[in-house]
Amino acid sequence: MQKLLLHPAAKPVVFVLCLLPLAWLVYATAANQLGANPAEALIRATGDWTLRALCLVLAVTPVRVITATPQLARFRRMLGLFVFFYAVLHLLSYGWFDMGFDLPDILRDIAKRPFILVGSLALLLLTLLAATSFNRAIKAMGAKRWQALHRTVYAVAGLGILHFFWMRAGKNNFGEVAVYAAILAALLGWRLWHRLRKDRVAAHRGGAASRPATPAARAKS
Ligand code: HEM
Protein backbone atom coordinates (compact mmCIF):
# COMPACT_ATOMS: atom_id res chain seq x y z
CA MET A 1 0.00 0.00 0.00
CA GLN A 2 2.80 2.41 0.93
CA LYS A 3 4.56 1.72 -2.38
CA LEU A 4 1.31 2.38 -4.23
CA LEU A 5 0.85 5.75 -2.50
CA LEU A 6 4.37 6.77 -3.51
CA HIS A 7 3.96 5.61 -7.10
CA PRO A 8 4.42 8.52 -9.59
CA ALA A 9 0.95 7.76 -11.02
CA ALA A 10 -0.75 7.97 -7.61
CA LYS A 11 -1.24 11.75 -7.62
CA PRO A 12 -2.57 11.95 -11.21
CA VAL A 13 -4.98 9.09 -10.40
CA VAL A 14 -6.29 10.91 -7.30
CA PHE A 15 -6.55 14.11 -9.37
CA VAL A 16 -8.72 12.36 -11.98
CA LEU A 17 -10.85 10.73 -9.26
CA CYS A 18 -11.48 14.17 -7.73
CA LEU A 19 -12.68 15.42 -11.12
CA LEU A 20 -15.19 12.57 -11.54
CA PRO A 21 -18.05 14.41 -9.73
CA LEU A 22 -17.62 17.35 -12.11
CA ALA A 23 -17.49 14.98 -15.12
CA TRP A 24 -20.73 13.36 -13.91
CA LEU A 25 -22.43 16.76 -13.46
CA VAL A 26 -21.39 17.89 -16.96
CA TYR A 27 -22.64 14.60 -18.43
CA ALA A 28 -25.90 14.70 -16.43
CA THR A 29 -26.51 18.30 -17.57
CA ALA A 30 -25.88 17.43 -21.22
CA ALA A 31 -28.02 14.27 -20.97
CA ASN A 32 -30.78 16.16 -19.18
CA GLN A 33 -30.58 13.86 -16.17
CA LEU A 34 -30.80 16.51 -13.44
CA GLY A 35 -34.56 16.41 -13.04
CA ALA A 36 -37.16 19.17 -13.33
CA ASN A 37 -34.90 21.92 -11.96
CA PRO A 38 -31.35 21.34 -13.29
CA ALA A 39 -30.09 24.74 -12.06
CA GLU A 40 -31.10 24.00 -8.47
CA ALA A 41 -29.72 20.46 -8.76
CA LEU A 42 -26.34 21.84 -9.90
CA ILE A 43 -26.16 24.42 -7.09
CA ARG A 44 -27.00 21.73 -4.54
CA ALA A 45 -24.74 19.04 -6.03
CA THR A 46 -21.71 21.35 -6.07
CA GLY A 47 -22.49 22.30 -2.45
CA ASP A 48 -22.70 18.59 -1.53
CA TRP A 49 -19.36 17.83 -3.22
CA THR A 50 -17.71 20.75 -1.42
CA LEU A 51 -18.79 19.26 1.91
CA ARG A 52 -17.79 15.72 0.86
CA ALA A 53 -14.33 16.93 -0.25
CA LEU A 54 -13.99 18.72 3.09
CA CYS A 55 -14.77 15.47 4.97
CA LEU A 56 -12.19 13.68 2.82
CA VAL A 57 -9.40 16.17 3.45
CA LEU A 58 -10.12 16.21 7.20
CA ALA A 59 -9.98 12.38 7.19
CA VAL A 60 -6.40 12.31 5.88
CA THR A 61 -4.65 12.93 9.22
CA PRO A 62 -6.69 10.48 11.37
CA VAL A 63 -6.36 7.75 8.70
CA ARG A 64 -2.64 8.50 8.31
CA VAL A 65 -2.02 8.23 12.07
CA ILE A 66 -4.34 5.28 12.75
CA THR A 67 -3.00 3.21 9.83
CA ALA A 68 0.59 4.46 10.23
CA THR A 69 0.68 5.49 6.56
CA PRO A 70 2.67 8.76 6.44
CA GLN A 71 2.56 8.73 2.60
CA LEU A 72 -1.09 9.81 2.75
CA ALA A 73 0.04 13.30 3.74
CA ARG A 74 1.25 13.95 0.18
CA PHE A 75 -2.37 14.07 -1.06
CA ARG A 76 -3.64 16.58 1.50
CA ARG A 77 -2.83 19.75 -0.44
CA MET A 78 -4.47 18.45 -3.62
CA LEU A 79 -7.60 17.37 -1.75
CA GLY A 80 -7.68 20.75 0.02
CA LEU A 81 -7.54 22.56 -3.32
CA PHE A 82 -10.43 20.42 -4.57
CA VAL A 83 -12.56 21.62 -1.64
CA PHE A 84 -11.88 25.14 -2.88
CA PHE A 85 -12.50 24.08 -6.52
CA TYR A 86 -15.98 22.66 -5.80
CA ALA A 87 -16.83 25.62 -3.55
CA VAL A 88 -16.00 28.00 -6.42
CA LEU A 89 -18.14 25.88 -8.81
CA HIS A 90 -20.90 26.10 -6.19
CA LEU A 91 -20.61 29.89 -5.97
CA LEU A 92 -20.48 30.19 -9.80
CA SER A 93 -23.59 28.04 -10.26
CA TYR A 94 -25.46 30.09 -7.63
CA GLY A 95 -24.13 33.32 -9.14
CA TRP A 96 -25.13 32.30 -12.64
CA PHE A 97 -28.36 30.29 -12.27
CA ASP A 98 -29.86 31.99 -9.21
CA MET A 99 -28.54 35.52 -9.58
CA GLY A 100 -27.66 35.96 -13.29
CA PHE A 101 -24.24 37.26 -12.19
CA ASP A 102 -25.93 40.46 -10.96
CA LEU A 103 -23.38 41.60 -8.34
CA PRO A 104 -25.60 44.15 -6.51
CA ASP A 105 -28.29 41.45 -6.28
CA ILE A 106 -25.77 38.92 -4.95
CA LEU A 107 -24.55 41.39 -2.30
CA ARG A 108 -28.16 42.12 -1.30
CA ASP A 109 -28.84 38.37 -1.08
CA ILE A 110 -25.76 37.84 1.13
CA ALA A 111 -27.04 40.58 3.47
CA LYS A 112 -30.61 39.25 3.41
CA ARG A 113 -30.17 35.43 3.78
CA PRO A 114 -28.03 34.31 6.78
CA PHE A 115 -27.25 30.91 5.22
CA ILE A 116 -25.77 32.67 2.19
CA LEU A 117 -23.72 34.96 4.48
CA VAL A 118 -22.37 31.93 6.37
CA GLY A 119 -21.58 30.17 3.07
CA SER A 120 -19.72 33.29 1.91
CA LEU A 121 -17.64 33.42 5.11
CA ALA A 122 -16.72 29.76 4.64
CA LEU A 123 -15.72 30.45 1.04
CA LEU A 124 -13.66 33.49 2.10
CA LEU A 125 -11.69 31.30 4.52
CA LEU A 126 -11.30 28.58 1.87
CA THR A 127 -9.89 31.19 -0.51
CA LEU A 128 -7.30 32.22 2.09
CA LEU A 129 -6.34 28.58 2.68
CA ALA A 130 -6.08 27.86 -1.05
CA ALA A 131 -4.01 31.00 -1.64
CA THR A 132 -1.55 30.00 1.09
CA SER A 133 -1.31 26.30 0.33
CA PHE A 134 1.94 26.62 -1.65
CA ASN A 135 5.49 26.20 -0.28
CA ARG A 136 6.33 29.84 -0.93
CA ALA A 137 3.46 30.95 1.31
CA ILE A 138 4.54 28.56 4.08
CA LYS A 139 8.07 29.99 3.91
CA ALA A 140 6.81 33.59 3.87
CA MET A 141 4.44 33.07 6.82
CA GLY A 142 6.59 30.75 8.90
CA ALA A 143 5.38 27.28 9.98
CA LYS A 144 3.63 28.40 13.19
CA ARG A 145 1.52 31.18 11.62
CA TRP A 146 0.77 28.97 8.60
CA GLN A 147 -0.44 26.16 10.85
CA ALA A 148 -2.60 28.59 12.84
CA LEU A 149 -4.19 29.89 9.64
CA HIS A 150 -4.77 26.40 8.28
CA ARG A 151 -6.50 25.34 11.48
CA THR A 152 -9.33 27.66 10.39
CA VAL A 153 -10.38 24.75 8.18
CA TYR A 154 -12.18 23.59 11.34
CA ALA A 155 -14.21 26.83 11.24
CA VAL A 156 -14.99 26.15 7.56
CA ALA A 157 -16.42 22.78 8.63
CA GLY A 158 -18.61 24.45 11.25
CA LEU A 159 -19.74 27.22 8.86
CA GLY A 160 -20.45 24.67 6.09
CA ILE A 161 -22.70 22.64 8.42
CA LEU A 162 -24.47 25.80 9.69
CA HIS A 163 -25.00 26.89 6.06
CA PHE A 164 -26.49 23.51 5.19
CA PHE A 165 -28.59 23.42 8.40
CA TRP A 166 -30.07 26.89 7.83
CA MET A 167 -30.68 26.12 4.18
CA ARG A 168 -32.64 22.97 5.19
CA ALA A 169 -34.37 24.63 8.17
CA GLY A 170 -37.05 26.01 5.85
CA LYS A 171 -37.72 22.49 4.55
CA ASN A 172 -37.52 20.75 7.93
CA ASN A 173 -35.26 18.13 6.37
CA PHE A 174 -32.16 17.55 8.47
CA GLY A 175 -31.24 13.92 7.70
CA GLU A 176 -28.26 14.65 5.45
CA VAL A 177 -27.16 17.59 7.58
CA ALA A 178 -27.01 15.26 10.60
CA VAL A 179 -24.88 12.72 8.71
CA TYR A 180 -22.29 15.32 7.62
CA ALA A 181 -22.32 16.91 11.08
CA ALA A 182 -21.65 13.51 12.68
CA ILE A 183 -18.77 12.74 10.28
CA LEU A 184 -17.14 16.16 10.80
CA ALA A 185 -17.68 15.99 14.57
CA ALA A 186 -15.95 12.58 14.63
CA LEU A 187 -13.00 13.86 12.54
CA LEU A 188 -12.55 16.99 14.69
CA GLY A 189 -13.24 15.05 17.90
CA TRP A 190 -10.48 12.58 17.02
CA ARG A 191 -8.08 15.50 16.63
CA LEU A 192 -8.96 16.85 20.06
CA TRP A 193 -8.59 13.41 21.65
CA HIS A 194 -5.27 12.81 19.85
CA ARG A 195 -3.98 16.24 20.91
CA LEU A 196 -4.95 15.74 24.58
CA ARG A 197 -3.38 12.30 24.60
CA LYS A 198 -0.15 13.67 23.13
CA ASP A 199 -0.08 16.44 25.73
CA ARG A 200 -0.70 13.94 28.52
CA VAL A 201 2.12 11.68 27.31
CA ALA A 202 4.43 14.68 26.98
CA ALA A 203 3.53 15.91 30.48
CA HIS A 204 4.11 12.42 31.86
CA ARG A 205 7.47 12.17 30.12
CA GLY A 206 8.41 15.67 31.27
CA GLY A 207 7.43 14.70 34.85
CA ALA A 208 9.42 11.43 34.64
CA ALA A 209 12.50 13.27 33.25
CA SER A 210 12.52 15.81 36.10
CA ARG A 211 11.98 13.18 38.81
CA PRO A 212 15.12 11.48 40.20
CA ALA A 213 15.22 7.88 38.83
CA THR A 214 16.04 5.76 41.94
CA PRO A 215 14.77 5.84 45.60
CA ALA A 216 18.36 6.51 46.71
CA ALA A 217 18.65 9.42 44.32
CA ARG A 218 15.20 10.55 45.50
CA ALA A 219 16.37 10.31 49.13
CA LYS A 220 19.40 12.40 48.22
CA SER A 221 17.36 15.06 46.39
C1 HEM B 1 -20.44 32.29 -1.35
C2 HEM B 1 -20.56 31.10 -0.90
C3 HEM B 1 -21.82 30.26 -1.00
C4 HEM B 1 -23.05 30.54 -1.53
C5 HEM B 1 -23.51 31.84 -2.19
C6 HEM B 1 -23.87 29.35 -1.39
C7 HEM B 1 -25.19 29.25 -1.84
C8 HEM B 1 -25.98 28.12 -1.71
C9 HEM B 1 -27.33 27.99 -2.21
C10 HEM B 1 -28.11 29.07 -2.93
C11 HEM B 1 -27.75 26.74 -1.91
C12 HEM B 1 -29.08 26.07 -2.33
C13 HEM B 1 -30.22 26.54 -1.65
C14 HEM B 1 -31.52 25.85 -2.11
O1 HEM B 1 -31.53 25.10 -3.02
O2 HEM B 1 -32.50 26.13 -1.46
C15 HEM B 1 -26.68 26.10 -1.21
C16 HEM B 1 -26.74 24.82 -0.74
C17 HEM B 1 -25.67 24.17 -0.18
N1 HEM B 1 -24.41 24.68 0.03
FE1 HEM B 1 -23.79 26.52 -0.35
N2 HEM B 1 -23.15 28.38 -0.77
C18 HEM B 1 -21.89 28.89 -0.51
C19 HEM B 1 -20.83 28.26 0.09
C20 HEM B 1 -20.87 26.95 0.51
C21 HEM B 1 -19.74 26.27 1.13
C22 HEM B 1 -18.38 26.89 1.41
C23 HEM B 1 -20.16 24.99 1.39
C24 HEM B 1 -19.42 23.84 2.04
C25 HEM B 1 -18.49 23.97 2.94
C26 HEM B 1 -21.54 24.89 0.92
C27 HEM B 1 -22.30 23.76 1.00
C28 HEM B 1 -23.64 23.68 0.62
C29 HEM B 1 -24.47 22.47 0.78
C30 HEM B 1 -24.01 21.14 1.37
C31 HEM B 1 -25.74 22.79 0.28
C32 HEM B 1 -26.98 21.88 0.28
C33 HEM B 1 -27.07 21.02 -0.87
C34 HEM B 1 -28.26 20.08 -0.78
O3 HEM B 1 -29.37 20.50 -0.56
O4 HEM B 1 -28.05 18.88 -0.95
N3 HEM B 1 -21.94 26.09 0.39
N4 HEM B 1 -25.60 26.95 -1.09
Side-chain angles (χ1 to χ4, degrees), residues 145-183:
R145 273 197 303 168
W146 187 87
Q147 269 169 1
L149 173 66
H150 279 256
R151 284 209 187 94
T152 60
V153 71
Y154 308 152
V156 173
L159 291 169
I161 291 294
L162 187 58
H163 171 73
F164 197 6
F165 176 83
W166 271 344
M167 175 249 164
R168 285 289 177 92
K171 305 168 179 80
N172 212 12
N173 170 6
F174 299 110
E176 276 176 81
V177 184
V179 172
Y180 285 107
I183 293 171

Side-chain angles (χ1 to χ4, degrees), residues 3-200:
K3 253 196 182 161
L4 209 64
L5 291 172
L6 287 173
H7 192 282
K11 273 195 172 176
V13 168
V14 172
F15 188 83
V16 171
L17 287 174
C18 290
L19 282 176
L20 284 183
L22 174 64
W24 159 253
L25 289 174
V26 171
Y27 164 76
T29 309
N32 208 3
Q33 290 197 8
L34 290 174
N37 191 340
E40 187 184 78
L42 281 173
I43 296 172
R44 292 185 178 174
T46 48
D48 289 337
W49 281 108
T50 307
L51 214 46
R52 288 171 194 149
L54 190 60
C55 292
L56 198 61
V57 80
L58 287 171
V60 172
T61 300
V63 174
R64 174 174 62 79
V65 173
I66 294 166
T67 63
T69 319
Q71 297 77 8
L72 278 173
R74 65 191 293 254
F75 300 96
R76 211 173 45 184
R77 180 186 297 169
M78 186 198 297
L79 294 174
L81 288 171
F82 267 104
V83 179
F84 177 66
F85 175 71
Y86 281 105
V88 170
L89 287 184
H90 182 53
L91 172 65
L92 288 177
S93 35
Y94 154 81
W96 181 8
F97 305 130
D98 260 10
M99 309 308 280
F101 285 133
D102 184 328
L103 194 58
D105 257 6
I106 293 173
L107 294 174
R108 264 192 297 274
D109 198 29
I110 292 174
K112 198 176 78 193
R113 298 199 281 175
F115 91 94
I116 300 274
L117 176 66
V118 166
S120 313
L121 289 176
L123 184 61
L124 205 64
L125 277 176
L126 281 174
T127 309
L128 265 181
L129 299 183
T132 56
S133 60
F134 303 98
N135 290 342
R136 230 185 304 154
I138 303 174
K139 265 205 199 112
M141 294 177 70
K144 265 223 156 109
R145 273 197 303 168
W146 187 87
Q147 269 169 1
L149 173 66
H150 279 256
R151 284 209 187 94
T152 60
V153 71
Y154 308 152
V156 173
L159 291 169
I161 291 294
L162 187 58
H163 171 73
F164 197 6
F165 176 83
W166 271 344
M167 175 249 164
R168 285 289 177 92
K171 305 168 179 80
N172 212 12
N173 170 6
F174 299 110
E176 276 176 81
V177 184
V179 172
Y180 285 107
I183 293 171
L184 288 167
L187 294 171
L188 299 188
W190 178 87
R191 280 174 168 76
L192 188 62
W193 170 80
H194 185 65
R195 177 69 184 263
L196 292 175
R197 202 178 65 132
K198 247 168 88 179
D199 291 350
R200 238 192 352 260

